[in-house]
Amino acid sequence: MTNENKSNGKSFYGKRNSKKRYVAYRKTNKKRPPKPPVPKESVRIAFLGGINEIGKNMTLYEYKNDMFIVDCGLAFPSADLPGVDLVIPDFSYVEANADRIKGIVITHGHEDHIGALAYLLKRVNVPVYATKLTIGLIKGKLEEHRLLSSVKLIEVKPKDNITLGSFNVEFIHVNHSIPDAVGLAIRCPAGVIIQTGDFKIDTTPVDGDMIDITRFAEYGKKGVLALLSDSTNAERPGFATSEKNVGDSFVNLFNMAKKKRIVVATFASNIHRIQQIVDVAKSRGRKVAVIGRSLENLVNVGCELGYLNIPEGVLIDIDLIKNYTDDKLVIITTGSQGEPMSALTKIAFDEHKKVSLTPNDFVIISATPIPGNEKMVSNVVNELMKHGVEVIYEKMYDVHVSGHACQEELKLMLGIVKPKYFIPVHGEQKHLQKHANLGIAMGIPKENIYVGNIGERIEISYDGIKPLSNVTAGEVYVDGIGVGDVGNIVLNDRKHLSKDGIIIVVATIDSSTGYTVSGPDIVSRGFVFVKENEALMNSARDLACRVIDESYDKNYRDWNSVKTRLRDEISKLMYEKTKRRPMVLPILMEI
């Protein structure tokens, strides 16, 4: 810079101290508006189901004296629960706070989210909020339990807001394997909590209505206290495939079937899948029949509410299939998971009254086995093949896509919601941990991620997550019409019986003399075949007679001690002779 320029007070940018530049400087240094104050309130969450397990989803929110519930689902019993029909959450904590519950919000109509609702409403009758199809499915369940007239069902739609005491809940449309699924934006003085429900990001959904990513992002910009997100597919990389791909696969498979009768097994609740099967069947001039109570119910509800479009004359009653040739039929059935009582299993084992298999059948299993069901599905496939049936079940045919978000979709949800705290839900421990690791990879501090367990109750505020005392939670077993009357003792007895069988010792004793006047008789069930083990049965009879004679005191009749010794001695003998421990049941009668 020259001396002349210096003396004129100029630089390359003009006058150093010009008024114009000073004004511009002031404009760029205006004080920013203060940030809104961080809420000091806290909200509490109790996990009553859906954590460290698949199914039985149920979450309770609490702010001061107000509570509401999200979902109320069931789980299907595993092999170690013999005789149990359904598994539902323990409602003890809800019942203890019944006067504080403002309502139940349902995210979608799958059994693991609505299946236990009728059992809860028998004990705590509060309003239920759900979308149109979900309400339709709930009505069917309440009608079975004779509750429909006494329960208040309130239909909502995406973008609706409801007020539940101190809470305001907004419904946000998401994609899933059933229509009318929603996520939730839960607002209260402590902040905003997003609960996704079950979701995936399907850019080409069958119903043409993509997940409302924009609304989730808007909440992310405003600030989200916590995100509770579906973890079911947290182990799977990439993106979940679009449901439309399955429709293309059905076109190819129907061509492969040629003149054969087509049987498709799928989840009863997958309306989109059913619609695509119907569409392809109609284009090939085939009639469609459905088998399975849950499937028939869904088709009726779907048609009534407009979620299924089945042209007149395409759907026929199962009793009429004998009137059509194989190349003019498609049968849609339940049993894609190999459930023992399902229609497909009965068909495979020749136990179904209306459908018999022939080598001219073409069976498509349009589902992936749920973890733990692989063996049951394999058994059904093997039985089907014994009939000479062609079975399509491999993943290479794209006959099933998941309704749950995979890793990239989960990361996208985390990225747009930007929660301060992250709580993985809806999955086993391996799913929750994997989802937590995705959160860490997305930049959420490890201390801001909470992997919970059933029965835990936490308090969340912008200051942190604080564990509170646990609440009563767990499993309640439904067996027939009995709810909760089957516990660990009964189940242990059933397992014992299933493994080693039972021996019943029956004897009649003369009360005046103490002598055995009848028996002891030995009855065996599920232990050994009596006719081939007479020596063993005679040894048991002699031992029982001796024990009764030695233990029975006519002056002091201690029945329990006699039965206990009988049980111990007979059990000892059987173990020595067979290395098995059957259940021993003594029955003593006094005359």
Side-chain angles (χ1 to χ4, degrees), residues 63 162 201 256 267 356 420 475 529 544 584:
Y63 176 79
I162 61 171
I201 299 175
M256 285 175 56
F267 289 111
S356 298
K420 181 173 178 63
E475 297 179 337
F529 186 47
V584 179

Side-chain angles (χ1 to χ4, degrees), residues 50 55 93 158 211 257 318 328 377 395 417 455 489 556 590:
Y93 186 64
I211 182 174
I318 192 65
K328 296 297 181 183
V377 174
K395 291 183 179 179
V417 172
I489 294 175
Y556 179 68
E590 191 178 40

Side-chain angles (χ1 to χ4, degrees), residues 301-368:
V301 173
C303 290
E304 181 182 336
L305 299 179
Y307 290 90
L308 273 176
N309 179 22
I310 302 180
E312 188 175 349
V314 172
L315 189 66
I316 63 172
D317 190 272
I318 192 65
D319 292 321
L320 299 179
I321 61 174
K322 58 182 178 292
N323 299 336
Y324 296 88
T325 56
D326 289 345
D327 62 326
K328 296 297 181 183
L329 281 175
V330 175
I331 298 173
I332 308 176
T333 178
T334 56
S336 60
Q337 296 302 305
E339 304 95 320
M341 299 304 294
S342 67
L344 183 64
T345 301
K346 289 180 179 179
I347 292 170
F349 285 87
D350 285 328
E351 295 174 357
H352 200 279
K353 296 178 181 178
K354 298 178 180 179
V355 180
S356 298
L357 291 173
T358 71
N360 202 44
D361 281 319
F362 188 86
V363 178
I364 304 169
I365 300 180
S366 182
T368 300

Side-chain angles (χ1 to χ4, degrees), residues 352-411:
H352 200 279
K353 296 178 181 178
K354 298 178 180 179
V355 180
S356 298
L357 291 173
T358 71
N360 202 44
D361 281 319
F362 188 86
V363 178
I364 304 169
I365 300 180
S366 182
T368 300
I370 295 171
N373 290 354
E374 294 88 352
K375 183 61 178 176
M376 291 192 296
V377 174
S378 179
N379 289 341
V380 171
V381 170
N382 288 332
E383 286 299 320
L384 290 168
M385 289 183 170
K386 287 178 184 178
H387 292 277
V389 172
E390 186 173 358
V391 184
I392 303 297
Y393 63 97
E394 300 93 339
K395 291 183 179 179
M396 61 182 288
Y397 286 101
D398 290 329
V399 291
H400 177 68
V401 297
S402 177
H404 299 271
C406 295
Q407 289 182 356
E408 295 306 312
E409 296 155 276
L410 296 175
K411 286 158 67 176

Side-chain angles (χ1 to χ4, degrees), residues 522-525 528-535 537 541:
I522 308 296
V523 181
S524 171
R525 291 291 182 273
V528 293
F529 186 47
V530 174
K531 290 184 178 180
E532 294 180 359
N533 292 271
E534 289 185 2
M537 293 297 105
R541 188 177 296 109

Side-chain angles (χ1 to χ4, degrees), residues 467-569:
L468 303 176
S469 58
N470 287 359
V471 301
T472 302
E475 297 179 337
V476 173
Y477 305 127
V478 179
D479 189 353
I481 61 172
V483 179
D485 56 352
V486 173
N488 290 330
I489 294 175
V490 173
L491 287 173
N492 288 336
D493 284 346
R494 289 181 180 180
K495 292 173 188 176
H496 192 173
L497 288 168
S498 67
K499 291 179 180 179
D500 298 309
I502 185 172
I503 288 178
I504 304 173
V505 182
V506 184
T508 304
I509 301 169
D510 189 321
S511 59
S512 60
T513 63
Y515 294 133
T516 303
V517 295
S518 177
D521 295 321
I522 308 296
V523 181
S524 171
R525 291 291 182 273
F527 173 53
V528 293
F529 186 47
V530 174
K531 290 184 178 180
E532 294 180 359
N533 292 271
E534 289 185 2
L536 179 61
M537 293 297 105
N538 289 335
S539 298
R541 188 177 296 109
D542 294 340
L543 176 59
C545 192
R546 187 173 71 250
V547 169
I548 292 171
D549 289 342
E550 292 174 357
S551 305
Y552 183 78
D553 186 342
K554 65 179 181 179
N555 296 319
Y556 179 68
R557 297 179 179 83
D558 186 359
W559 291 99
N560 289 333
S561 63
V562 178
K563 290 180 180 179
T564 299
R565 190 175 171 201
L566 263 177
R567 195 178 294 114
D568 293 343
E569 294 294 336

Side-chain angles (χ1 to χ4, degrees), residues 224-227 417-422 444-445 448-449 461-464:
V224 172
L225 175 63
L227 170 67
V417 172
K418 300 181 180 67
K420 181 173 178 63
Y421 302 107
F422 172 46
I444 299 177
N448 285 10
I449 298 175
S461 70
Y462 275 91
D463 293 331

Side-chain angles (χ1 to χ4, degrees), residues 149-364:
S149 60
S150 60
V151 174
K152 186 177 183 181
L153 299 176
I154 302 171
E155 184 181 313
V156 296
K157 57 184 183 298
K159 299 183 180 178
D160 280 356
N161 284 265
I162 61 171
T163 299
L164 301 170
S166 302
F167 294 97
N168 181 273
V169 181
E170 180 181 343
F171 297 84
I172 305 174
H173 172 72
V174 299
N175 298 132
H176 190 39
S177 54
I178 189 171
D180 267 7
V182 290
L184 307 173
I186 301 164
R187 297 189 291 262
C188 70
V192 176
I193 298 173
I194 299 291
Q195 183 161 346
T196 64
D198 290 352
F199 81 101
K200 66 188 283 188
I201 299 175
D202 192 342
T203 54
T204 57
V206 174
D207 59 8
D209 200 1
M210 185 180 160
I211 182 174
D212 193 351
I213 287 287
T214 303
R215 192 58 182 146
F216 284 109
E218 287 172 352
Y219 275 106
K221 289 179 182 178
K222 295 174 183 176
V224 172
L225 175 63
L227 170 67
L228 280 68
S229 184
D230 175 19
S231 306
T232 308
N233 271 352
E235 294 180 305
R236 297 187 183 182
F239 291 84
T241 308
S242 174
E243 181 67 30
K244 274 196 174 178
N245 290 22
V246 178
D248 297 335
S249 295
F250 278 130
V251 171
N252 296 329
L253 291 171
F254 274 50
N255 290 336
M256 285 175 56
K258 297 180 180 177
K259 299 292 185 179
K260 292 184 176 183
R261 182 176 65 174
I262 298 172
V263 180
V264 185
T266 187
F267 289 111
S269 59
N270 199 330
I271 284 187
H272 297 320
R273 190 78 44 86
I274 294 167
Q275 182 67 65
Q276 293 187 99
I277 296 168
V278 169
D279 291 343
V280 180
K282 180 179 179 295
S283 69
R284 300 297 188 274
R286 290 178 180 256
K287 302 293 184 182
V288 177
V290 297
I291 309 175
R293 184 181 175 190
S294 56
L295 184 59
E296 292 169 8
N297 179 56
L298 186 93
V299 169
N300 290 335
V301 173
C303 290
E304 181 182 336
L305 299 179
Y307 290 90
L308 273 176
N309 179 22
I310 302 180
E312 188 175 349
V314 172
L315 189 66
I316 63 172
D317 190 272
I318 192 65
D319 292 321
L320 299 179
I321 61 174
K322 58 182 178 292
N323 299 336
Y324 296 88
T325 56
D326 289 345
D327 62 326
K328 296 297 181 183
L329 281 175
V330 175
I331 298 173
I332 308 176
T333 178
T334 56
S336 60
Q337 296 302 305
E339 304 95 320
M341 299 304 294
S342 67
L344 183 64
T345 301
K346 289 180 179 179
I347 292 170
F349 285 87
D350 285 328
E351 295 174 357
H352 200 279
K353 296 178 181 178
K354 298 178 180 179
V355 180
S356 298
L357 291 173
T358 71
N360 202 44
D361 281 319
F362 188 86
V363 178
I364 304 169

